[in-house]
Amino acid sequence: MSSASKSHTISDSIAKPFLLPGTLVCNAVGIHGNNPSDYSDLVRMLVNSLIWTVAGVIVMAFFA
């Protein structure tokens, strides 16, 4: 591997907490993304969108 693929950017550090729920669910289910047919990206996207949409609705209900 090249050193560029191992480097972490500021955007990686900022995005990591927001992507954590989907990653935890994928790890719990056993989908690790090593195989392209695992659909790990789709599962992460679904879980993250559900969690952050619900969190946004709750925040707007209390502060709007």
Side-chain angles (χ1 to χ4, degrees):
M1 282 188 188
S2 67
S3 62
S5 65
K6 292 183 180 180
S7 67
H8 295 285
T9 62
I10 294 173
S11 61
D12 290 338
S13 300
I14 293 171
K16 193 168 190 165
F18 293 105
L19 300 176
L20 185 63
T23 302
L24 292 175
V25 169
C26 283
N27 290 340
V29 174
I31 302 173
H32 299 292
N34 297 333
N35 187 357
S37 65
D38 283 343
Y39 300 110
S40 63
D41 293 334
L42 291 174
V43 173
R44 279 191 192 98
M45 183 177 64
L46 174 66
V47 171
N48 287 328
S49 64
L50 289 173
I51 288 176
W52 293 117
T53 300
V54 170
V57 168
I58 291 170
V59 166
M60 290 306 294
F62 285 112
F63 295 113

Coordinates of all heavy atoms in Angstrom, one line a residue:
M1 N 0.8 -1.2 0.0 CA 0.0 0.0 0.0 C 0.9 1.2 0.0 O 1.9 1.3 0.6 CB -0.9 0.0 1.2 CG -2.0 -0.8 1.2 SD -3.1 -0.5 2.6 CE -4.2 -1.8 2.5
S2 N 0.4 2.2 -0.6 CA 1.1 3.5 -0.7 C 0.8 4.3 0.6 O -0.1 4.1 1.3 CB 0.8 4.3 -1.9 OG -0.6 4.7 -1.8
S3 N 1.7 5.3 0.9 CA 1.4 6.1 2.1 C 0.2 7.0 1.9 O -0.4 7.3 2.9 CB 2.7 7.0 2.3 OG 2.9 7.8 1.3
A4 N -0.2 7.3 0.7 CA -1.4 8.1 0.5 C -2.7 7.4 0.9 O -3.6 8.0 1.4 CB -1.5 8.5 -1.0
S5 N -2.7 6.0 0.8 CA -3.9 5.3 1.2 C -4.0 5.1 2.7 O -5.1 4.9 3.2 CB -3.9 3.9 0.5 OG -2.9 3.2 1.0
K6 N -2.9 5.3 3.4 CA -2.9 5.2 4.9 C -3.1 6.5 5.5 O -3.4 6.6 6.7 CB -1.6 4.6 5.3 CG -1.4 3.1 5.0 CD -0.2 2.6 5.5 CE 0.0 1.1 5.2 NZ 1.2 0.6 5.7
S7 N -3.0 7.6 4.8 CA -3.1 8.9 5.4 C -4.6 9.3 5.7 O -5.5 8.8 5.0 CB -2.5 10.0 4.5 OG -3.3 10.1 3.4
H8 N -4.8 10.0 6.8 CA -6.1 10.4 7.2 C -6.2 11.9 7.1 O -5.3 12.6 7.5 CB -6.4 10.0 8.7 CG -6.4 8.5 8.9 ND1 -7.5 7.8 8.4 CD2 -5.6 7.7 9.4 CE1 -7.3 6.5 8.7 NE2 -6.1 6.4 9.3
T9 N -7.3 12.4 6.5 CA -7.4 13.8 6.4 C -8.3 14.4 7.5 O -8.9 13.6 8.3 CB -8.1 14.1 5.0 OG1 -9.4 13.5 5.0 CG2 -7.2 13.6 3.9
I10 N -8.4 15.6 7.5 CA -9.3 16.3 8.5 C -10.8 15.9 8.3 O -11.5 15.6 9.2 CB -9.2 17.8 8.4 CG1 -7.8 18.2 8.9 CG2 -10.2 18.5 9.3 CD1 -7.4 19.7 8.7
S11 N -11.2 15.8 7.0 CA -12.5 15.4 6.7 C -12.8 14.0 7.1 O -13.9 13.7 7.6 CB -12.8 15.5 5.2 OG -12.0 14.7 4.4
D12 N -11.8 13.1 7.1 CA -12.0 11.7 7.6 C -12.3 11.8 9.1 O -13.2 11.0 9.6 CB -10.8 10.8 7.4 CG -10.6 10.5 5.9 OD1 -11.6 10.5 5.2 OD2 -9.4 10.2 5.6
S13 N -11.6 12.6 9.8 CA -11.8 12.7 11.3 C -13.1 13.3 11.6 O -13.7 13.0 12.6 CB -10.7 13.6 11.9 OG -9.4 13.0 11.6
I14 N -13.6 14.3 10.8 CA -14.9 14.9 11.1 C -16.0 14.0 10.7 O -17.0 13.9 11.5 CB -15.0 16.2 10.3 CG1 -14.0 17.2 10.8 CG2 -16.4 16.8 10.3 CD1 -13.9 18.5 10.0
A15 N -15.9 13.2 9.7 CA -17.0 12.3 9.2 C -17.1 11.0 10.1 O -18.2 10.5 10.2 CB -16.7 11.9 7.8
K16 N -16.0 10.6 10.7 CA -16.0 9.3 11.4 C -17.1 9.2 12.5 O -17.8 8.2 12.5 CB -14.6 9.1 12.1 CG -14.5 7.7 12.6 CD -13.0 7.4 12.9 CE -12.9 5.9 13.2 NZ -11.5 5.5 13.1
P17 N -17.4 10.2 13.4 CA -18.5 10.1 14.3 C -19.8 10.0 13.7 O -20.7 9.3 14.2 CB -18.4 11.3 15.2 CG -17.0 11.9 14.9 CD -16.6 11.4 13.6
F18 N -20.0 10.7 12.6 CA -21.3 10.6 11.9 C -21.6 9.3 11.2 O -22.7 8.9 11.0 CB -21.4 11.8 10.9 CG -21.4 13.1 11.5 CD1 -20.3 13.9 11.5 CD2 -22.6 13.6 12.2 CE1 -20.4 15.2 12.1 CE2 -22.6 14.8 12.8 CZ -21.5 15.6 12.8
L19 N -20.5 8.6 10.8 CA -20.6 7.3 10.1 C -20.6 6.2 11.1 O -20.8 5.0 10.7 CB -19.6 7.2 9.0 CG -19.6 8.3 8.0 CD1 -18.4 8.1 7.0 CD2 -20.9 8.2 7.2
L20 N -20.3 6.4 12.3 CA -20.1 5.4 13.3 C -21.3 4.5 13.5 O -21.1 3.2 13.6 CB -19.7 6.0 14.7 CG -19.3 5.0 15.8 CD1 -18.1 4.2 15.3 CD2 -19.0 5.7 17.1
P21 N -22.6 5.0 13.6 CA -23.7 4.1 13.8 C -23.8 3.0 12.7 O -24.0 1.8 13.0 CB -24.9 5.0 13.8 CG -24.4 6.3 14.1 CD -23.0 6.4 13.6
G22 N -23.6 3.4 11.5 CA -23.7 2.4 10.4 C -22.6 1.4 10.4 O -22.8 0.2 10.1
T23 N -21.4 1.9 10.8 CA -20.2 1.0 10.9 C -20.5 0.0 12.0 O -20.1 -1.2 11.9 CB -19.0 1.8 11.1 OG1 -18.8 2.7 10.1 CG2 -17.7 0.9 11.2
L24 N -21.0 0.4 13.2 CA -21.2 -0.5 14.3 C -22.3 -1.6 13.9 O -22.1 -2.7 14.3 CB -21.7 0.3 15.5 CG -20.6 1.2 16.1 CD1 -21.3 2.0 17.3 CD2 -19.5 0.4 16.6
V25 N -23.3 -1.2 13.2 CA -24.3 -2.1 12.8 C -23.8 -3.1 11.8 O -24.0 -4.3 11.9 CB -25.6 -1.4 12.2 CG1 -26.5 -2.4 11.5 CG2 -26.3 -0.6 13.2
C26 N -23.0 -2.7 10.8 CA -22.3 -3.6 9.9 C -21.4 -4.6 10.6 O -21.4 -5.8 10.3 CB -21.5 -2.8 8.8 SG -22.6 -2.1 7.6
N27 N -20.7 -4.1 11.6 CA -19.8 -5.0 12.3 C -20.6 -6.0 13.1 O -20.2 -7.2 13.2 CB -18.8 -4.2 13.2 CG -17.8 -3.5 12.4 OD1 -17.5 -3.8 11.3 ND2 -17.2 -2.4 13.0
A28 N -21.7 -5.6 13.7 CA -22.5 -6.4 14.5 C -23.2 -7.5 13.7 O -23.3 -8.7 14.1 CB -23.6 -5.6 15.3
V29 N -23.6 -7.2 12.5 CA -24.2 -8.1 11.6 C -23.2 -9.0 10.9 O -23.6 -10.1 10.5 CB -25.1 -7.4 10.6 CG1 -25.7 -8.3 9.5 CG2 -26.2 -6.6 11.3
G30 N -22.0 -8.6 10.8 CA -20.9 -9.4 10.2 C -20.7 -9.0 8.7 O -20.1 -9.8 8.0
I31 N -21.1 -7.8 8.3 CA -20.8 -7.3 7.0 C -19.6 -6.3 7.1 O -19.7 -5.3 7.7 CB -22.0 -6.5 6.4 CG1 -23.3 -7.4 6.4 CG2 -21.7 -6.0 5.0 CD1 -24.5 -6.7 6.0
H32 N -18.5 -6.8 6.5 CA -17.3 -6.0 6.7 C -16.8 -5.3 5.5 O -15.9 -4.5 5.5 CB -16.2 -6.9 7.2 CG -16.5 -7.5 8.6 ND1 -16.6 -6.7 9.7 CD2 -16.7 -8.8 8.9 CE1 -16.9 -7.5 10.7 NE2 -17.0 -8.8 10.2
G33 N -17.5 -5.5 4.3 CA -17.1 -4.8 3.1 C -16.0 -5.3 2.4 O -15.5 -4.7 1.4
N34 N -15.5 -6.5 2.8 CA -14.3 -7.1 2.0 C -14.8 -7.6 0.7 O -14.0 -7.6 -0.3 CB -13.7 -8.2 2.9 CG -13.1 -7.7 4.1 OD1 -12.7 -6.5 4.2 ND2 -13.1 -8.5 5.1
N35 N -16.0 -8.1 0.6 CA -16.5 -8.7 -0.6 C -17.5 -7.7 -1.2 O -18.4 -7.2 -0.5 CB -17.3 -10.0 -0.3 CG -17.7 -10.7 -1.5 OD1 -17.6 -10.3 -2.6 ND2 -18.3 -11.9 -1.3
P36 N -17.4 -7.3 -2.5 CA -18.3 -6.4 -3.1 C -19.8 -6.7 -3.0 O -20.7 -5.9 -3.1 CB -17.9 -6.3 -4.5 CG -16.5 -6.8 -4.6 CD -16.4 -7.8 -3.4
S37 N -20.1 -8.0 -2.9 CA -21.5 -8.5 -2.8 C -22.1 -8.4 -1.4 O -23.2 -8.8 -1.2 CB -21.6 -9.9 -3.3 OG -20.9 -10.8 -2.5
D38 N -21.3 -7.8 -0.5 CA -21.8 -7.7 0.9 C -22.8 -6.6 1.1 O -23.5 -6.6 2.1 CB -20.6 -7.5 1.9 CG -19.8 -8.8 2.2 OD1 -20.4 -9.8 1.9 OD2 -18.7 -8.7 2.7
Y39 N -22.8 -5.6 0.3 CA -23.7 -4.4 0.4 C -23.4 -3.6 1.7 O -24.3 -3.0 2.2 CB -25.1 -4.8 0.3 CG -25.5 -5.5 -1.0 CD1 -25.8 -6.9 -1.0 CD2 -25.5 -4.8 -2.2 CE1 -26.1 -7.5 -2.2 CE2 -25.8 -5.4 -3.4 CZ -26.1 -6.8 -3.4 OH -26.4 -7.4 -4.6
S40 N -22.2 -3.6 2.1 CA -21.9 -2.9 3.4 C -22.2 -1.4 3.2 O -22.7 -0.8 4.2 CB -20.5 -3.2 3.9 OG -19.6 -2.7 2.9
D41 N -21.8 -0.8 2.1 CA -22.1 0.6 1.9 C -23.6 0.9 1.9 O -23.9 2.0 2.5 CB -21.5 1.1 0.6 CG -20.0 1.0 0.6 OD1 -19.3 1.0 1.7 OD2 -19.4 0.8 -0.5
L42 N -24.4 0.1 1.3 CA -25.8 0.3 1.4 C -26.4 0.2 2.8 O -27.3 1.0 3.2 CB -26.5 -0.6 0.4 CG -26.3 -0.4 -1.0 CD1 -26.9 -1.5 -1.9 CD2 -26.8 0.9 -1.5
V43 N -25.9 -0.8 3.5 CA -26.4 -0.9 4.9 C -26.0 0.3 5.8 O -26.8 0.8 6.5 CB -25.9 -2.3 5.5 CG1 -26.2 -2.4 7.0 CG2 -26.4 -3.4 4.8
R44 N -24.7 0.7 5.6 CA -24.3 1.9 6.4 C -25.1 3.1 6.0 O -25.5 3.9 6.9 CB -22.8 2.1 6.0 CG -21.8 1.3 6.8 CD -20.4 1.8 6.6 NE -19.5 0.8 7.1 CZ -18.9 -0.1 6.4 NH1 -19.0 -0.1 5.1 NH2 -18.1 -1.0 6.9
M45 N -25.3 3.3 4.7 CA -26.1 4.5 4.3 C -27.5 4.4 4.9 O -28.0 5.4 5.3 CB -26.2 4.5 2.8 CG -26.9 5.7 2.2 SD -26.8 5.8 0.4 CE -27.8 4.4 0.0
L46 N -28.2 3.3 4.8 CA -29.5 3.1 5.4 C -29.6 3.4 6.9 O -30.4 4.2 7.3 CB -30.1 1.7 5.1 CG -31.4 1.4 5.7 CD1 -32.5 2.3 5.1 CD2 -31.7 -0.1 5.6
V47 N -28.7 2.8 7.6 CA -28.7 3.0 9.1 C -28.3 4.4 9.4 O -29.0 5.0 10.3 CB -27.6 2.0 9.7 CG1 -27.4 2.3 11.2 CG2 -28.1 0.6 9.5
N48 N -27.3 5.0 8.8 CA -27.0 6.4 9.1 C -28.1 7.3 8.7 O -28.4 8.3 9.5 CB -25.7 6.8 8.4 CG -24.5 6.1 9.0 OD1 -24.4 5.9 10.2 ND2 -23.5 5.8 8.2
S49 N -28.7 7.1 7.6 CA -29.8 8.1 7.2 C -31.0 7.9 8.2 O -31.6 8.9 8.6 CB -30.2 7.8 5.8 OG -30.8 6.5 5.6
L50 N -31.3 6.7 8.6 CA -32.4 6.6 9.6 C -32.1 7.2 10.9 O -32.9 7.9 11.5 CB -32.7 5.1 9.8 CG -33.4 4.4 8.6 CD1 -33.5 2.9 8.9 CD2 -34.8 4.9 8.4
I51 N -30.9 7.0 11.4 CA -30.5 7.5 12.7 C -30.4 9.0 12.7 O -31.0 9.7 13.6 CB -29.2 6.9 13.2 CG1 -29.5 5.4 13.6 CG2 -28.6 7.7 14.4 CD1 -28.3 4.6 14.0
W52 N -29.8 9.6 11.7 CA -29.6 11.0 11.7 C -30.9 11.8 11.3 O -31.1 12.9 11.7 CB -28.4 11.4 10.8 CG -27.1 10.9 11.4 CD1 -26.3 10.0 10.9 CD2 -26.6 11.2 12.7 NE1 -25.2 9.7 11.8 CE2 -25.4 10.5 12.9 CE3 -27.0 12.1 13.7 CZ2 -24.6 10.6 14.1 CZ3 -26.2 12.2 14.9 CH2 -25.1 11.4 15.0
T53 N -31.7 11.1 10.6 CA -33.0 11.8 10.3 C -33.9 11.8 11.5 O -34.5 12.9 11.8 CB -33.8 11.0 9.2 OG1 -33.0 11.0 8.0 CG2 -35.1 11.6 8.9
V54 N -33.9 10.7 12.3 CA -34.7 10.7 13.5 C -34.1 11.7 14.5 O -34.8 12.5 15.2 CB -34.7 9.3 14.1 CG1 -35.3 9.3 15.5 CG2 -35.6 8.4 13.2
A55 N -32.8 11.8 14.6 CA -32.1 12.7 15.5 C -32.5 14.1 15.1 O -32.7 15.0 16.0 CB -30.6 12.5 15.5
G56 N -32.5 14.4 13.8 CA -32.8 15.8 13.4 C -34.2 16.2 13.7 O -34.5 17.3 14.0
V57 N -35.1 15.2 13.5 CA -36.6 15.5 13.8 C -36.7 15.8 15.3 O -37.5 16.7 15.7 CB -37.4 14.3 13.3 CG1 -38.9 14.4 13.8 CG2 -37.4 14.3 11.8
I58 N -36.1 15.0 16.1 CA -36.2 15.2 17.5 C -35.6 16.5 18.0 O -36.2 17.3 18.7 CB -35.5 14.0 18.3 CG1 -36.3 12.7 18.1 CG2 -35.3 14.4 19.8 CD1 -35.6 11.5 18.6
V59 N -34.5 16.9 17.4 CA -33.9 18.2 17.7 C -34.8 19.3 17.3 O -35.0 20.3 18.0 CB -32.5 18.3 17.1 CG1 -32.0 19.7 17.1 CG2 -31.5 17.4 17.8
M60 N -35.4 19.2 16.1 CA -36.3 20.3 15.6 C -37.5 20.3 16.4 O -38.1 21.4 16.6 CB -36.6 20.0 14.1 CG -35.4 20.3 13.2 SD -34.6 21.9 13.4 CE -35.9 23.0 12.9
A61 N -38.0 19.2 16.9 CA -39.2 19.2 17.7 C -39.0 19.9 19.0 O -40.0 20.6 19.5 CB -39.7 17.8 18.0
F62 N -37.9 19.9 19.6 CA -37.6 20.5 20.9 C -37.1 21.9 20.8 O -37.4 22.8 21.7 CB -36.6 19.7 21.7 CG -37.2 18.5 22.3 CD1 -36.7 17.2 21.8 CD2 -38.1 18.5 23.3 CE1 -37.3 16.1 22.4 CE2 -38.7 17.4 23.8 CZ -38.2 16.1 23.4
F63 N -36.5 22.3 19.7 CA -35.9 23.6 19.5 C -36.6 24.5 18.5 O -36.2 25.7 18.4 CB -34.4 23.5 19.2 CG -33.6 22.9 20.3 CD1 -33.0 21.6 20.1 CD2 -33.4 23.5 21.5 CE1 -32.3 21.0 21.1 CE2 -32.7 22.9 22.5 CZ -32.1 21.7 22.3
A64 N -37.6 24.0 17.9 CA -38.2 24.9 16.9 C -39.5 25.4 17.4 O -40.1 25.0 18.3 CB -38.5 24.1 15.6

